[in-house]
Amino acid sequence: MFSIEITISFRSDSFIMRTIFSNLTRNIFLLFILLPFWGFSQQHKVDSLKIVLSKTKQDTSRLFLQGEIGLAFLDIAPDSALNWWKAANTFAEENRSNHTGKTLERLLIMEGEVISNIGFIYTKRGMILPALEYNFKSLQLRESIGDKHGIAESLNNIAFIYSQQNDFNKALEYYERSATEYGAINDSGGIAFTQVNRGNIYVKSGKDSLALNMFMQALKVLSAQEKFQRGYSACLSSIGNIYLKATNYTAAFYYFNSALRLRIKYNDQFNIAGTYVQLGKLYEQQGMTDSAFHYAEMAYKQAVSTKNSQAIINGANLLSELYAAKGDHKQALDYFKIYIAARDTANNKESGKQMVRQQMSYEYAKEKEVSMIKLAQQRAYTIGGFSALGIVAVLLFFVYRQRNGIAREKKRSDELLLNILPAETAEELKTTGAAKTKSYASVTVMFTDFKNFTQTAELLSAEALVELINFCYGEFDRIVSKYNVEKIKTIGDSYMCAGGLPVANETHAADTVNAAIEILAFIREYNAERKRNALPFFDIRIGLHTGQVVAGIVGTKKFAYDIWGDAVNI
């Protein structure tokens, strides 16, 4: 339901465009000047840009045009936009060696923009790993050339990805860094954009008054210029969310409708679906079912069309709730399954592991780059005439600082990795890039599942069902950790864990049985409370078996720590 925004590169007022235009022929220049006033459709704009591209020889101009064609395709054919930006990225990489000085700098700035835009597409589609990969790649390139605006933009987009994974601390850290970079270049619009994004995190954290204050500050800046229209509509949408939570429906409708008008005006197809969801929720809360269905169905259709993952999640969830209220449990369950599948894809833990690895790769690459810069500085000092003793002193100083810096970054990365993998497995993965499978002579495996899950699920709204499952699994996590039992995974309504690994021990059977007894006691007590309140509940089945297993990490794209063997099957 929240409308957090990411930024897309389009610096129409930058020195890059002015320089490129000066390098084009007079007729081509006039074509670009006149295009906005001809009222051409996006497809006509694409065709015209392609004609210009076919007549352009200079690499910087060609790269600029490829990026512009991608932008023109963005709202009418996102797949084509992605293809053009990828082609532009390849073109830039292949032609870097042909240029030096300011021309190379301009080429690299534009390359950073197209890489960032590729990340934008993947982020909107909920493809977290490639989104983070391209945004870190963009950030690294922009830092290497000192592109302040680009650095701020990449930091903002990385923060958004972390917020989508509910890692709010990391998201706020990157938003703060982004705001600092925008402040350094006096970019009030960029600062306002990060305020909207941080405000949405505060809303999720229940700090509505703080969020509203930030939104209102941002609104003054974003409403002032047309080029901030994406941020302006996002801010309106976010303010509407706060008023919806407060059941101030008149104010909520005003802000949602204002955001929708702006997004339709600028053909912001990606975010129109999100506004439809908000209006659907608004009408649902007021009991206006027909209107709620109307907007929910439009939202879901629009989200699927633009591959907007968050809008698909929210739209399917809303439709599930509406059909359940209507008594059409089949349709409710169908949309609930879509909602769960889309949500789990966007928020799975394997993506979290990969995110940490990409963060580590970026940090170490950055350290390597810093080391190279320092080495160049040392060479410059040598040329400047330092004595041999002075050179040794400078080298020792830089080595000392470099080692300390790397140690700090390594410690931080280690802590992140240990949060998502067993310690032994994490260490092996860092050292070798892979983890060997291991055989355990004796472990105790425990499975739980909920009895009559499907039938009970039909009695609950989608939101209530997810809340119930999350609450139970959260308590299971606490209990198994208490008894030194390793959680392996969840599969639908089934929860799997094992004692005696990754570090073998002699107490695993007792540990796992004690965890099972406490889980059973928790479920009985929780069910008794729900019965007293006439609420649906889940009975639980628990199975345990002790035996030999093999454990390891599988997969080439999304790693998963898992176990196999008869002990698991039985």
Side-chain angles (χ1 to χ4, degrees):
M1 185 166 129
F2 297 98
S3 181
I4 306 175
E5 291 291 320
I6 49 180
T7 49
I8 188 164
S9 294
F10 180 48
R11 284 183 267 177
S12 60
D13 59 341
S14 72
F15 80 94
I16 300 171
M17 285 186 67
R18 294 196 298 272
T19 304
I20 288 171
F21 281 156
S22 68
N23 293 328
L24 295 174
T25 67
R26 183 174 182 277
N27 289 338
I28 296 172
F29 174 77
L30 288 174
L31 173 61
F32 266 94
I33 293 296
L34 293 174
L35 265 176
F37 301 100
W38 289 349
F40 279 9
S41 68
Q42 289 299 92
Q43 186 58 56
H44 285 155
K45 182 178 180 181
V46 167
D47 294 339
S48 300
L49 287 166
K50 287 180 179 179
I51 293 171
V52 177
L53 178 62
S54 69
K55 298 178 180 179
T56 303
K57 302 301 181 184
Q58 286 195 340
D59 288 345
T60 50
S61 301
R62 290 185 63 81
L63 181 58
F64 171 77
L65 291 168
Q66 290 178 74
E68 290 298 291
I69 292 171
L71 282 171
F73 268 125
L74 181 61
D75 287 321
I76 60 173
D79 287 335
S80 296
L82 181 60
N83 291 336
W84 274 93
W85 284 331
K86 284 189 172 182
N89 184 25
T90 301
F91 175 83
E93 290 176 347
E94 291 175 348
N95 289 279
R96 284 181 188 175
S97 60
N98 298 334
H99 305 283
T100 59
K102 290 294 184 181
T103 303
L104 176 60
E105 181 183 349
R106 289 193 292 270
L107 193 77
L108 292 175
I109 289 175
M110 286 185 285
E111 183 182 353
E113 292 183 350
V114 297
I115 294 172
S116 178
N117 291 348
I118 294 169
F120 171 90
I121 293 283
Y122 283 128
T123 303
K124 279 297 187 178
R125 292 181 175 180
M127 301 172 69
I128 298 302
L129 299 182
L132 200 63
E133 176 188 350
Y134 277 99
N135 278 296
F136 270 129
K137 183 179 177 182
S138 176
L139 176 60
Q140 188 175 344
L141 176 61
R142 287 164 159 178
E143 286 180 333
S144 72
I145 58 176
D147 178 7
K148 297 291 188 181
H149 181 278
I151 291 169
E153 179 182 271
S154 292
L155 290 170
N156 179 80
N157 294 348
I158 291 167
F160 173 79
I161 295 172
Y162 280 118
S163 72
Q164 289 293 83
Q165 295 294 297
N166 294 321
D167 189 344
F168 297 147
N169 289 334
K170 181 64 70 176
L172 287 171
E173 174 191 332
Y174 273 90
Y175 280 137
E176 289 290 349
R177 289 174 59 186
S178 177
T180 300
E181 293 292 342
Y182 278 128
I185 56 176
N186 296 316
D187 188 336
S188 59
I191 294 172
F193 226 113
T194 62
Q195 286 180 308
V196 176
N197 292 337
R198 283 182 288 166
N200 278 301
I201 291 179
Y202 292 138
V203 172
K204 286 186 175 183
S205 305
K207 303 174 182 178
D208 290 359
S209 59
L210 177 60
L212 186 59
N213 183 51
M214 296 193 78
F215 293 149
M216 290 303 184
Q217 290 179 32
L219 197 65
K220 295 177 183 177
V221 176
L222 296 172
S223 61
Q225 296 187 46
E226 188 175 7
K227 67 179 181 180
F228 298 146
Q229 57 87 14
R230 281 185 184 268
Y232 182 31
S233 62
C235 192
L236 292 168
S237 177
S238 297
I239 295 171
N241 279 327
I242 290 183
Y243 284 118
L244 181 60
K245 284 180 65 178
T247 66
N248 185 340
Y249 299 126
T250 301
F253 177 80
Y254 168 78
Y255 282 102
F256 289 155
N257 200 43
S258 297
L260 180 60
R261 285 201 307 269
L262 200 61
R263 286 168 170 172
I264 291 174
K265 176 181 177 181
Y266 290 100
N267 198 30
D268 185 2
Q269 296 295 323
F270 269 119
N271 292 308
I272 287 173
T275 313
Y276 285 155
V277 172
Q278 293 168 321
L279 288 166
K281 291 292 293 184
L282 174 69
Y283 286 118
E284 179 195 33
Q285 290 188 21
Q286 295 180 87
M288 301 169 69
T289 306
D290 290 343
S291 295
F293 263 112
H294 170 71
Y295 280 105
E297 288 167 349
M298 287 202 304
Y300 183 73
K301 181 178 178 180
Q302 179 76 6
V304 171
S305 173
T306 57
K307 299 182 182 178
N308 185 331
S309 64
Q310 194 58 48
I312 290 173
I313 293 169
N314 294 335
N317 187 31
L318 178 56
L319 283 168
S320 178
E321 292 176 356
L322 291 170
Y323 277 115
K326 189 180 179 181
D328 189 340
H329 297 299
K330 182 181 181 305
Q331 285 277 59
L333 186 58
D334 287 344
Y335 278 107
F336 180 68
K337 289 177 179 176
I338 294 171
Y339 159 67
I340 291 294
R343 185 205 62 183
D344 289 350
T345 298
N347 300 308
N348 70 67
K349 293 183 179 179
E350 300 309 319
S351 292
K353 297 175 186 177
Q354 292 280 26
M355 287 171 70
V356 171
R357 294 186 191 105
Q358 290 184 3
Q359 168 89 18
M360 291 169 67
S361 297
Y362 160 73
E363 296 292 351
Y364 287 130
K366 185 176 178 180
E367 285 292 341
K368 183 177 179 181
E369 183 184 326
V370 170
S371 299
M372 292 175 66
I373 293 172
K374 289 176 179 177
L375 181 59
Q377 291 173 334
Q378 293 161 15
R379 289 174 178 168
Y381 292 146
T382 302
I383 293 171
F386 271 105
S387 67
L389 183 60
I391 293 171
V392 171
V394 171
L395 284 172
L396 287 174
F397 171 72
F398 280 123
V399 167
Y400 173 77
R401 286 188 59 185
Q402 180 181 335
R403 285 182 177 176
N404 280 351
I406 292 175
R408 286 194 301 272
E409 294 301 331
K410 185 176 184 298
K411 182 175 182 295
R412 185 171 70 170
S413 298
D414 288 348
E415 290 171 350
L416 289 169
L417 197 58
L418 286 172
N419 282 334
I420 57 176
L421 284 177
E424 285 189 349
T425 306
E427 187 61 36
E428 187 176 1
L429 192 63
K430 287 188 300 167
T431 303
T432 67
K436 295 178 182 177
T437 56
K438 295 182 180 179
S439 180
Y440 293 86
S442 181
V443 303
T444 300
V445 182
M446 175 169 69
F447 273 96
T448 79
D449 79 337
F450 295 123
K451 293 169 62 176
N452 302 319
F453 176 79
T454 302
Q455 294 89 332
T456 305
E458 292 179 353
L459 303 175
L460 294 162
S461 69
E463 187 178 50
L465 177 61
V466 173
E467 183 180 352
L468 175 56
I469 295 172
N470 281 342
F471 178 74
C472 291
Y473 282 172
E475 190 65 17
F476 292 2
D477 287 346
R478 183 191 65 78
I479 292 170
V480 301
S481 296
K482 173 182 174 183
Y483 290 99
N484 195 31
V485 175
E486 185 76 18
K487 178 182 177 181
I488 305 298
K489 61 185 175 182
T490 60
I491 312 167
D493 63 314
S494 179
Y495 184 99
M496 178 183 176
C497 59
L501 55 77
V503 179
N505 62 56
E506 299 295 328
T507 63
H508 58 81
D511 293 338
T512 312
V513 169
N514 285 330
I517 291 171
E518 188 164 333
I519 286 174
L520 184 60
F522 157 71
I523 287 293
R524 285 174 174 168
E525 181 179 347
Y526 186 52
N527 284 350
E529 178 185 338
R530 292 184 68 84
K531 286 178 185 177
R532 287 194 296 271
N533 294 303
L535 296 172
F537 59 89
F538 292 123
D539 282 328
I540 195 171
R541 296 180 291 199
I542 302 177
L544 299 99
H545 189 70
T546 298
Q548 183 178 359
V549 303
V550 173
I553 292 179
V554 295
T556 57
K557 291 186 177 179
K558 295 183 178 180
F559 295 139
Y561 182 77
D562 210 342
I563 59 177
W564 304 267
D566 285 342
V568 179
N569 299 334
I570 293 172

